[in-house]
Amino acid sequence: MNIFWGILWGITAQVLTFFQLQGQMKYQWMKDYTWVVVLLGIPISFMFMQSVKHFVLAFGGEIWPSRLLGFGIGVIIFTLMSELLFKEPFTTKTGICLFLGVLIILTQLFYK
């Protein structure tokens, strides 16, 4: 169950981080209210902390798997969000990076 919660917290935090960091390129209000966007980093940080906590619990106290899972989730979310919101082309390079992100996640979850 900790894996589930770690992934859920991680996805939520990555989506919000994408908006926080890239949103100013798409939404004028994020440029106009920079400090509001900065302060949104507080709950986002809490979400990342929850994700890490659940991953560390799931992996018997090891911290390295949480970092790799977080990275893999981040690659997937960034790929999807940049395609959906910014219509960035899906190139071979992007596909390879996405494949590697998925491979990192699968390795952490299933390789013992």
Side-chain angles (χ1 to χ4, degrees):
M1 196 64 174
N2 279 313
I3 293 285
F4 169 80
W5 287 112
I7 291 171
L8 186 63
W9 280 111
I11 289 171
T12 305
Q14 289 288 354
V15 168
L16 293 174
T17 298
F18 183 90
F19 279 110
Q20 184 188 34
L21 300 178
Q22 276 64 250
Q24 63 182 324
M25 307 324 162
K26 186 164 182 75
Y27 304 109
Q28 183 61 42
W29 75 266
M30 294 183 97
K31 280 184 185 178
D32 296 340
Y33 299 99
T34 303
W35 281 104
V36 172
V37 177
V38 168
L39 291 173
L40 290 174
I42 295 170
I44 293 170
S45 294
F46 175 78
M47 292 175 196
F48 278 120
M49 291 168 65
Q50 290 300 305
S51 178
V52 169
K53 177 182 84 173
H54 286 287
F55 285 143
V56 170
L57 288 171
F59 287 95
E62 294 181 33
I63 61 171
W64 191 236
S66 71
R67 178 65 190 111
L68 294 172
L69 285 165
F71 172 77
I73 291 168
V75 168
I76 293 167
I77 295 300
F78 193 92
T79 301
L80 295 173
M81 298 290 289
S82 63
E83 169 65 29
L84 291 171
L85 289 177
F86 291 95
K87 307 297 184 221
E88 288 201 7
F90 191 86
T91 64
T92 302
K93 182 169 71 171
T94 303
I96 291 169
C97 291
L98 183 59
F99 171 75
L100 291 172
V102 171
L103 190 61
I104 288 169
I105 290 172
L106 294 175
T107 300
Q108 291 303 308
L109 292 178
F110 299 110
Y111 185 77
K112 301 293 177 196

